Amino acid sequence: MRIDKFLKMSRVIKRRTVANEVADNGRISVNGKIVKPSYDVKVGDIVEIQFGDKISKFEVTSIPKVQNKDLEESIKLL
């Protein structure tokens, strides 16, 4: 699953277009490397997102198939 879609479905970022813009601006890194919105997320990836001065860091524990209320279980905050 693409990183922009994953961030939207896991409710880390509210809209996919916003997730796409954040990735285009180089503010998303996976395992220490800056990624584009088309990056394919894998279980075990460490994702860091820079929101201004704040950096959110989490580990991908599962890839959701459909959007539902249990999606917060697909990430583990670090």
Side-chain angles (χ1 to χ4, degrees), residues 35-54:
V35 296
K36 295 183 178 184
S38 60
Y39 175 80
D40 190 32
V41 179
K42 298 168 217 56
V43 173
D45 281 347
I46 306 293
V47 180
E48 293 183 38
I49 305 172
Q50 183 179 1
F51 296 107
D53 295 337
K54 182 183 174 203

Side-chain angles (χ1 to χ4, degrees), residues 2-77:
R2 291 171 53 109
I3 186 88
D4 57 348
K5 187 172 183 180
F6 175 80
L7 293 172
K8 189 247 183 219
M9 289 185 67
S10 60
R11 299 183 184 148
V12 174
I13 296 179
K14 196 170 189 176
R15 294 185 192 95
R16 186 171 175 181
T17 54
V18 174
N20 199 318
E21 290 174 8
V22 170
D24 280 338
N25 291 331
R27 297 187 306 184
I28 298 177
S29 64
V30 178
N31 300 326
K33 294 184 178 181
I34 294 175
V35 296
K36 295 183 178 184
S38 60
Y39 175 80
D40 190 32
V41 179
K42 298 168 217 56
V43 173
D45 281 347
I46 306 293
V47 180
E48 293 183 38
I49 305 172
Q50 183 179 1
F51 296 107
D53 295 337
K54 182 183 174 203
I55 295 178
S56 296
K57 185 175 182 180
F58 58 88
E59 179 180 356
V60 178
T61 57
S62 67
I63 308 293
K65 301 288 185 218
V66 290
Q67 187 172 1
N68 60 24
K69 292 184 180 182
D70 299 326
L71 289 178
E72 280 91 25
E73 297 172 3
S74 65
I75 62 173
K76 181 172 89 174
L77 297 176

